[in-house]
């Protein structure tokens, strides 16, 4: 069939090697700015452009050729089958992509759409492209022919090109994994105020829409966003000089020292131009341009960005990007590739339409005139060509092997059949490309470097990203040092690994890692306070309130220390609280314990003195049994105060309040019994009084037993319902933890204490009424004063006890016990001891009786009645002695008589 049509102009830069089966390749090696022509009809001018050779990308061509040569020489893969290739350059002109893609499929010099003209090539698959737009345009055509396409660049299928076909594969990891890696990298170095640079296109907008919410969720703010224009002529210095003033480079002065760069190589060209071009233009012209520097910045580039220069950028200094952190497709060195590059010569590469321009530009010579072919690629700086396999080249290498393994599986499964021609040679394989779709989807193998090559259910290469550090050298070369990785096969906590010790930071950084925040960190001991009208990453710092702390920088709020701890003076960490209890080893504990023991010894000595002189009148006259009970109970009162000293435990907490309550109740009951006895005896001494018959000598014992029984009942109910127990109080004191006895039932505690107070009050009232009754040395007066002291102490105890905490509260109770007990001991027994020990002549029956009679007569005269004939006889009998004692009484008596 004769296909009519015009012959389109031929696009240069291609490399064709025949084979039974062809693998196509479309690479981006030439940057092209089309001339301004009218698009009214097809002409050669439509395909003319001013080329800019990106020499570094020539490796993409070489690695595809290297992989096919390896496969052809490997008898274990596709034996007796020769693979060929056809590599074309896509340039950067989008409307040429369709023409170049179709040219891979047919051999006719004429092309008419939708017609098969000439011989169709046995093209089994196409590898490409590097740019998203190129990939999308290729996918549109190749999907119609059901030819597998393996893209080695990023491609977001829901934005560009068809998505529902099975012929599209990506030897590029999942893009979302790279976003996650960027976020984790920023979090690792605590960079919360970052800038973003993207290409000014739909893909850049999508990057921002995806990344910004992820940053916000992790507490990171975007300080600025800059978009690199797509219509800048990088080859025209005059054009760049004119546009330089219109390029906004204010972000270089931002506090955001971490800047993420997303896009393609053109993004890096734009960034390098606005930073470095002013210096270049100032050297070339007389115009003054302000210096721009990125000395304080850390550039974080995505896997799509290559640190590549074009020919006109040879004077640029890549030192500005020293220390940059980059994401790249996980890759390894392939054995033999370095040697393959060393053997590369223009004369060796037959059919290579790329090498001439490449060789002339990197070595600044002309073939075949001034180029000797003795030039060495090792001398070319890395921004123009790398001897080690780049990550994109590694993806192309894996893509070639993926197609070869799929063909091999297809061949060994006997799906295809080969026939012998008449000459006995092996005819070309007739393999429909669509048969490879399912095989590629399920393929899995290890390449020569040991890495697994497989695709997931979305046609994406299973793999991760390397995190590399750009280390530059004075000769304007660089190496990329691997400092981490992003591996989707690991758990979330281990997915991103960074080896910070391997990083070489920019030499001009004031600190490493650099600071990239809206404002200085809030130091420990303070919390963040939001600034009105600013992003949440900008804040003020407020000192933590009393009792709270923050132990890390930039805390949102201060916290309270855990129980048993308190903030230190700087409020940046917690200290364990010191146990607060009345210890035997502390001065206060030692003093109180010493007083308790001293008073106990004194009481014991008094008891011994009374026992030794128990037959003397003064001891007998004051009811020896009650005296002994009172002294023993006072002795126990002094000793029970020792139970309050020392760290509380189950035993001491259970018994100290009970012991105190019962012993004190016995002591007060004994005093009450002594007081009541004095009153009863006086009343019983009157002739004909009822008390003479009804009151016996056991009345005092009954009083002590009855009163003590009530206290025993209170304590028994207390123990049965809610007994005391050891407890700690972590809230009352800021720096100490109170180790105390919890009284259990506070009601029962105050019932016990109140009952003692009740008995003391009754005793005080009775003693006060009986203070002038005749008694041996007027004991009722002493009891009255002792009860006054006792009640005063315990009345002041209650408010003091309630207003103190910890060991001070215990000390108050011990002091009250000691002072009230000492008051009873001193007021009641010291006068008697004085007579017993120092004035024994007064301790006689006659003296005691005379004193008692005199007191009785005087009291009786004060209550005298003329009808009392008994009293008249007593007065007459003792008239002389009474006159010596009380003149006023005699006068009164005489007057009455």
């Amino acid at each position: 069939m004769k296909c009519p049509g015009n012959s389109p102009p031929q696009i240069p830069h291609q490399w064709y090697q025949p084979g039974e089966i062809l693998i196509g390749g479309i690479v981006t090696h030439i940057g092209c700015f089309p001339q301004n022509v009218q698009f009214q009809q097809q002409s050669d001018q439509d395909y003319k452009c001013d080329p800019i050779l990106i020499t570094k990308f020539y490796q993409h061509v070489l690695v595809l050729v290297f992989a096919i040569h390896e496969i052809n020489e490997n008898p274990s893969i596709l034996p007796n089958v020769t693979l060929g290739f056809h590599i074309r350059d896509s340039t950067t002109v989008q409307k040429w992509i369709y023409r170049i893609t179709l040219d891979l499929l047919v051999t006719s010099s004429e092309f008419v759409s939708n017609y098969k003209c000439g011989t169709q090539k046995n093209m089994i698959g196409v590898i490409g492209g590097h740019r998203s737009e190129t990939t999308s345009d290729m996918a549109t055509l190749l999907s119609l022919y059901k030819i597998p396409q393996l893209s080695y660049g990023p491609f977001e299928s829901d934005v560009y090109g068809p998505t529902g076909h099975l012929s599209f594969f990506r030897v590029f990891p999942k893009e979302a994994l790279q976003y996650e890696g960027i976020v984790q990298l920023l979090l690792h170095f605590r960079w919360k105020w970052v800038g973003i640079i993207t290409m000014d296109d739909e893909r850049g907008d999508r990057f921002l829409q995806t990344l910004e919410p992820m940053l916000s969720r992790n507490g990171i703010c975007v300080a600025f966003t800059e978009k690199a224009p797509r219509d800048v002529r990088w080859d025209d210095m005059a054009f760049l000089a004119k546009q330089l003033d219109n390029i906004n480079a204010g972000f270089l002065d931002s506090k955001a020292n971490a800047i993420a760069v997303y896009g393609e190589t053109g993004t890096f060209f734009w960034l390098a131009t606005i930073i470095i071009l002013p210096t270049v233009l100032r050297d070339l012209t007389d115009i003054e341009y302000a210096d721009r520097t990125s000395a304080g910045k850390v550039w974080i580039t995505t896997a799509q960005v290559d640190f590549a220069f074009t020919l006109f950028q040879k004077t640029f200094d890549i030192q500005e990007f020293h220390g940059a952190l980059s994401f790249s497709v996980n890759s390894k060195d392939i054995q033999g590739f370095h040697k393959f590059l060393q053997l590369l010569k223009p004369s060796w590469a037959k059919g290579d339409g790329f090498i001439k321009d490449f060789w002339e530009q990197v070595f600044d010579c002309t073939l075949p005139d001034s180029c000797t072919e003795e030039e060495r690629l090792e001398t070319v700086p890395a921004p123009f060509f790398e001897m080690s396999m780049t990550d994109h080249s590694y993806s192309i290498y894996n893509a070639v092997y993926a197609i070869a393994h799929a063909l091999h599986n297809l061949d060994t499964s006997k799906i295809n059949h080969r026939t012998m021609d008449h000459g006995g040679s092996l005819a070309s394989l007739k393999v429909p490309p669509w048969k490879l779709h399912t095989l590629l989807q399920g393929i899995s193998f290890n390449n020569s470097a040991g890495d697994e090559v497989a695709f997931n259910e979305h046609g994406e290469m299973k793999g991760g990203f390397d995190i590399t550090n750009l280390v530059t050298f004075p000769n304007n070369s660089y190496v990329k040092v691997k400092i981490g990785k992003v591996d989707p096969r690991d758990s979330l906590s281990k997915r991103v690994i960074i080896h910070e010790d391997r990083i070489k930071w920019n030499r001009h950084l004031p600190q490493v890692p650099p600071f990239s925040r809206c404002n200085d960190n809030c130091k420990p001991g303070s919390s963040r306070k939001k600034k009105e009208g600013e992003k949440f990453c900008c804040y003020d710092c407020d000192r933590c309130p009393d009792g709270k702390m923050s132990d890390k920088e930039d805390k949102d709020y201060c916290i309270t220390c855990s129980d048993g701890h308190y903030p230190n003076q700087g409020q940046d960490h917690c200290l364990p609280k010191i146990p607060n209890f009345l210890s035997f080893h502390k001065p206060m504990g030692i003093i109180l314990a010493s007083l308790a023991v001293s008073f106990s010894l004194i009481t014991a000595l008094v008891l011994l003195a009374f026992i030794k002189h128990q037959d003397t009148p003064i001891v007998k006259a004051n009811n020896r049994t009650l005296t002994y009970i009172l002294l023993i109970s006072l002795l126990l009162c002094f000793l029970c105060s020792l139970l309050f000293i020392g760290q509380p435990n189950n035993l001491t907490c259970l018994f100290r309040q009970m012991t105190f309550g019962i012993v004190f109740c016995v002591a007060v009951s004994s005093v009450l019994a002594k007081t009541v006895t004095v009153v009863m005896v006086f009343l019983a001494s009157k002739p004909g009084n009822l008390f003479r018959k009804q009151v016996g000598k056991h009345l005092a014992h009954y009083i002590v037993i009855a009163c003590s029984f009530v206290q025993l009942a209170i304590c028994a109910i207390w123990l049965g319902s809610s007994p005391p127990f050891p407890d700690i109080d972590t809230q009352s004191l800021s720096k100490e933890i109170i180790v105390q006895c919890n009284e259990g039932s506070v009601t029962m505690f105050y019932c016990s204490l109140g009952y003692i107070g009740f008995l003391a009050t009754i005793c005080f009232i009775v003693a006060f009424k009986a203070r002038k009754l005749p008694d041996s040395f007027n004991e009722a007066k002493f009891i009255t004063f002792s009860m006054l002291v006792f009640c005063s102490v315990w009345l002041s105890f209650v408010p003091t006890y309630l207003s103190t905490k910890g060991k001070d509260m215990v000390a108050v109770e011990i002091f009250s016990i000691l002072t009230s007990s000492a008051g009873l001991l001193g007021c009641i027994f010291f006068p008697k001891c004085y007579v017993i020990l120092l004035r024994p002549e007064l301790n006689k029956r006659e003296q005691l009786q005379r004193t008692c009679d005199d007191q009785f007569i005087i009291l009786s005269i004060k209550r005298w009645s003329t009808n009392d004939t008994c009293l008249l006889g007593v007065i007459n009998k003792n008239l002389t002695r009474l006159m010596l004692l009380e003149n006023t009484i005699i006068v009164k008596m005489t007057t009455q008589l």
Side-chain angles (χ1 to χ4, degrees):
M1 176 180 176
K2 178 69 175 177
C3 293
N6 297 325
S7 298
Q10 295 297 312
I11 301 173
H13 300 103
Q14 63 176 324
W15 192 349
Y16 176 79
Q17 178 176 300
E20 294 178 275
I21 297 177
L22 292 181
I23 295 178
I26 294 182
V27 298
T28 301
H29 181 51
I30 306 295
C32 190
F33 296 99
Q35 298 175 346
N36 257 337
V37 296
Q38 297 296 324
F39 187 70
Q40 296 175 347
Q41 62 180 2
Q42 181 174 298
S43 75
D44 289 352
Q45 287 183 331
D46 280 333
Y47 294 92
K48 291 181 179 179
C49 71
D50 299 324
I52 299 178
L53 192 66
I54 307 175
T55 56
K56 183 176 180 178
F57 291 171
Y58 179 51
Q59 190 187 102
H60 300 169
V61 176
L62 297 176
V63 77
L64 193 151
V65 175
F66 170 74
I68 290 178
H69 285 177
E70 266 194 343
I71 294 170
N72 286 336
E73 294 175 1
N74 189 347
S76 62
I77 305 178
L78 295 177
N80 302 319
V81 176
T82 302
L83 290 179
F85 58 83
H86 191 182
I87 306 172
R88 299 297 301 265
D89 186 6
S90 68
T91 73
T92 56
V93 183
Q94 189 171 359
K95 66 180 180 180
W96 294 1
I97 304 302
Y98 300 105
R99 171 69 181 86
I100 294 169
T101 303
L102 288 171
D103 189 50
L104 290 178
L105 307 180
V106 296
T107 58
S108 173
S109 60
E110 296 182 353
F111 172 75
V112 179
S113 299
N114 299 322
Y115 286 88
K116 291 184 178 180
C117 300
T119 304
Q120 187 172 5
K121 298 176 183 176
N122 191 13
M123 186 67 65
I124 198 65
V126 178
I127 299 173
H130 179 244
R131 302 171 64 246
S132 295
E133 293 84 351
T134 303
T135 302
S136 177
D137 294 341
M138 290 172 58
T140 302
L141 287 178
L142 293 176
S143 62
L144 299 175
Y145 290 89
K146 295 182 174 58
I147 295 178
Q149 176 188 355
L150 285 78
S151 171
Y152 63 93
F155 180 78
E156 299 181 14
S157 57
D158 53 345
V159 179
Y160 301 101
T163 60
H165 56 83
L166 299 175
S167 61
F168 184 76
F169 299 88
R170 281 162 282 188
V171 283
F172 191 91
K174 189 176 181 180
E175 183 74 4
L177 192 63
Q178 187 170 206
Y179 297 157
E180 182 182 343
I182 293 174
V183 173
Q184 294 302 318
L185 181 66
L186 296 174
L187 291 176
H188 177 83
F189 292 108
R190 304 175 68 186
W191 292 330
K192 298 298 184 72
W193 190 244
V194 301
I196 297 178
I197 297 176
T198 68
M199 294 296 286
D200 189 10
D201 57 10
E202 186 178 0
R203 190 158 43 93
D205 293 339
R206 182 174 179 81
F207 173 77
L208 291 174
Q209 294 170 5
T210 304
L211 185 63
E212 283 187 322
M214 295 177 64
L215 296 176
S216 181
R217 287 194 298 270
N218 287 275
I220 303 172
C221 294
V222 178
F224 64 84
T225 57
E226 291 290 335
K227 295 186 177 181
R230 303 187 60 83
D231 56 353
V232 179
R233 295 182 60 90
W234 312 106
D235 62 330
D236 190 341
M237 297 291 285
F239 173 82
L240 290 174
K242 182 179 179 180
Q243 297 296 319
L244 189 59
D245 293 333
N246 298 326
I247 298 176
N248 180 20
F251 64 85
L252 292 175
D253 300 323
S254 170
K255 290 184 179 180
N257 292 323
I259 303 176
V261 182
Y262 176 86
E264 294 174 350
T265 307
T267 312
F268 172 74
F269 290 166
W270 175 80
L271 185 60
T273 300
I274 66 172
I275 295 175
I276 305 172
L277 187 60
T279 304
V280 177
L281 291 177
R282 188 171 60 245
D283 295 339
L284 296 178
T285 65
D286 296 332
I287 303 175
E288 288 294 328
Y289 291 92
D291 286 334
R292 290 169 177 170
T293 178
S294 63
K297 308 298 179 184
V298 175
W299 306 100
I300 303 170
T301 64
T302 57
Q304 298 90 324
V305 178
D306 281 290
F307 290 95
F309 284 157
T310 59
L311 177 63
F312 85 97
Q313 293 170 320
K314 278 191 174 182
T315 56
F316 282 16
D317 187 4
I318 201 172
Q319 300 293 324
E320 289 285 345
F321 299 97
H322 177 77
L325 304 177
S326 304
F327 288 85
S328 59
V329 179
N330 185 273
S331 60
K332 292 182 179 179
D333 288 332
I334 299 297
Q335 188 176 3
F337 183 65
H338 189 273
K339 185 177 181 179
F340 174 81
L341 295 179
Q342 288 178 324
L343 299 176
L344 182 66
K345 302 289 182 182
S347 58
W348 170 84
K350 303 298 183 182
D352 185 352
F354 301 91
I355 194 169
K356 181 178 184 296
D357 289 341
F358 166 79
W359 205 268
E360 290 179 347
Q361 291 205 26
V362 297
F363 293 113
D364 196 19
C365 61
T366 304
L367 283 171
D369 300 331
S370 58
C371 293
T372 63
E373 296 199 11
E374 296 298 325
E375 295 85 3
R376 297 171 59 83
L377 288 177
E378 292 94 329
T379 62
V380 181
F384 301 99
F385 191 80
E386 292 188 53
M387 293 296 290
S388 59
M389 188 176 290
T390 64
D391 54 336
H392 291 301
S393 296
Y394 189 75
S395 297
I396 295 172
Y397 180 84
N398 287 333
V400 174
Y401 267 89
I403 295 175
H405 276 275
L407 283 172
H408 182 76
N409 293 341
L410 186 66
D411 182 38
T412 55
S413 62
K414 307 298 182 183
I415 296 177
N416 62 303
H417 300 279
R418 301 184 212 176
T419 58
M420 300 293 293
D421 62 9
H422 295 293
S425 61
L426 191 64
S428 297
L429 284 170
K430 301 298 181 182
V431 180
W434 58 267
K435 286 185 175 291
L436 265 66
H437 296 165
T438 304
L439 292 172
L440 283 171
Q441 186 70 48
I443 200 168
S444 179
F445 64 92
N446 290 334
N447 62 17
S448 59
D451 280 347
E452 181 186 11
V453 178
F455 296 98
N456 61 20
E457 64 276 9
H458 302 294
E460 298 167 326
M461 180 70 73
K462 292 180 180 179
F465 292 92
D466 291 331
I467 305 176
T468 59
N469 177 218
L470 189 75
V471 181
T472 63
F473 301 102
N475 66 349
N476 220 26
S477 186
Y478 68 81
V479 294
K480 287 185 176 181
V481 180
K482 188 180 296 186
I483 56 100
K485 66 176 181 177
V486 184
D487 194 342
R489 295 169 296 183
D490 291 333
S491 60
L492 289 175
S493 59
K494 298 181 180 179
R495 183 166 294 176
V496 180
I497 298 176
I498 300 171
H499 303 288
E500 190 174 342
D501 56 320
R502 301 180 185 175
I503 299 177
K504 300 296 182 183
W505 299 99
N506 194 296
R507 304 172 186 88
H508 302 290
L509 289 174
Q511 66 179 57
V512 290
F515 183 86
S516 186
R517 290 174 178 262
C518 179
N519 45 257
D520 292 337
N521 295 331
C522 286
K523 301 299 182 183
S526 60
S527 61
R528 302 192 298 185
K529 181 181 179 182
K530 188 181 185 304
K531 287 184 178 180
E532 293 296 331
E534 301 283 349
K535 292 188 176 182
F536 67 86
C537 291
C538 301
Y539 46 81
D540 293 320
C541 299
D542 279 354
R543 190 73 180 173
C544 287
D546 291 341
K548 293 190 175 184
M549 55 76 67
S550 62
D551 56 352
K552 295 180 180 178
E553 292 183 343
D554 290 333
K555 296 286 286 188
D556 291 325
Y557 49 85
C558 298
I559 60 174
T560 304
C561 292
S562 60
D563 287 345
H565 293 77
Y566 70 97
N568 66 332
Q569 186 174 3
Q571 294 179 281
D572 54 3
H573 66 275
C574 292
L575 299 175
K577 288 186 175 182
I578 302 172
N580 179 296
F581 62 90
L582 192 60
S583 173
F584 283 105
H585 306 290
K586 300 295 183 179
M588 185 182 294
I590 294 173
I591 292 172
L592 292 176
S594 301
L595 288 175
V597 172
S598 300
F599 282 127
S600 300
L601 292 175
I602 294 172
T603 307
L605 292 175
V606 172
L607 179 60
L608 290 175
F610 270 69
I611 293 174
K612 183 178 180 181
H613 300 85
Q614 60 181 336
D615 295 326
T616 60
I618 197 169
V619 176
K620 289 182 177 181
N622 290 284
N623 195 329
R624 283 183 300 186
T625 305
L626 284 180
T627 300
Y628 295 157
I629 293 174
L630 180 57
L631 284 172
I632 293 173
S633 61
L634 288 176
L635 176 62
L636 294 176
C637 284
F638 289 124
L639 292 176
C640 78
S641 62
L642 298 176
L643 293 174
F644 291 82
I645 305 175
Q647 184 169 354
N649 54 55
N650 289 325
L651 195 61
T652 57
C653 286
L654 191 63
F655 287 108
R656 70 184 189 180
Q657 295 291 3
M658 307 293 176
T659 305
F660 156 70
I662 294 171
V663 172
F664 250 78
C665 183
V666 172
V668 176
S669 300
S670 300
V671 176
L672 178 61
K674 288 175 73 68
T675 308
V676 171
T677 300
V678 172
V679 176
M680 294 300 107
V681 169
F682 174 74
L683 293 176
S685 65
K686 291 184 177 183
N689 196 287
L690 295 177
F691 286 99
R692 181 185 294 274
K693 298 178 180 180
Q694 297 179 1
V695 177
K697 61 180 181 180
H698 298 297
L699 174 64
H701 300 163
Y702 296 151
I703 293 174
V704 173
I705 293 172
C707 293
S708 301
F709 178 79
V710 175
Q711 184 72 298
L712 285 171
I714 293 173
C715 292
I717 296 173
W718 189 0
L719 286 174
S721 59
S722 180
F725 59 90
D727 193 14
I728 58 173
D729 179 5
T730 61
Q731 304 300 324
S732 297
L733 300 179
S734 60
K735 298 182 180 181
E736 296 178 319
I737 178 170
I738 300 175
V739 184
Q740 62 184 0
C741 285
N742 190 310
E743 306 304 346
S745 175
V746 179
T747 302
M748 299 307 297
F749 169 69
Y750 284 108
C751 284
S752 174
L753 198 63
Y755 179 68
I756 298 174
F758 172 74
L759 292 180
T761 304
I762 298 298
C763 185
F764 172 73
I765 294 173
V766 175
F768 181 80
K769 293 291 185 181
R771 69 187 185 281
K772 295 184 179 181
L773 293 178
D775 190 14
S776 302
F777 286 89
N778 208 0
E779 190 176 35
K781 290 184 178 181
F782 301 143
I783 293 175
T784 302
F785 188 72
S786 67
M787 285 296 102
L788 181 63
V789 173
F790 185 92
C791 292
S792 300
V793 169
W794 287 103
L795 283 175
S796 62
F797 160 78
V798 175
T800 309
Y801 182 83
L802 295 176
S803 62
T804 54
K805 297 289 183 181
K807 61 184 179 182
D808 294 335
M809 183 175 67
V810 178
V812 167
E813 187 169 1
I814 295 174
F815 180 78
S816 299
I817 293 172
L818 294 178
T819 52
S820 59
S821 302
L824 293 177
L825 179 66
C827 294
I828 296 175
F829 292 100
F830 278 4
K832 296 178 175 62
C833 290
Y834 171 78
V835 173
I836 293 172
L837 299 177
L838 301 179
R839 300 291 301 274
E841 68 276 7
L842 298 179
N843 192 10
K844 295 180 179 180
R845 181 177 180 82
E846 296 78 10
Q847 181 66 29
L848 193 62
Q849 181 65 40
R850 180 180 299 176
T851 303
C852 185
D853 288 343
D854 292 344
Q855 291 176 353
F856 176 78
I857 293 170
I858 293 171
L859 182 62
S860 299
I861 290 174
K862 290 178 180 179
R863 299 177 180 179
W864 175 73
S865 172
T866 56
N867 297 324
D868 194 342
T869 57
C870 180
L871 178 61
L872 291 175
V874 174
I875 292 173
N876 289 325
K877 184 179 180 180
N878 298 281
L879 183 60
T880 303
R881 187 159 41 87
L882 287 174
M883 290 176 64
L884 297 175
L885 294 175
E886 292 278 356
N887 289 331
T888 57
I889 298 298
I890 300 300
V891 172
K892 179 181 179 183
M893 178 187 65
T894 305
T895 302
Q896 293 294 330
L897 289 174

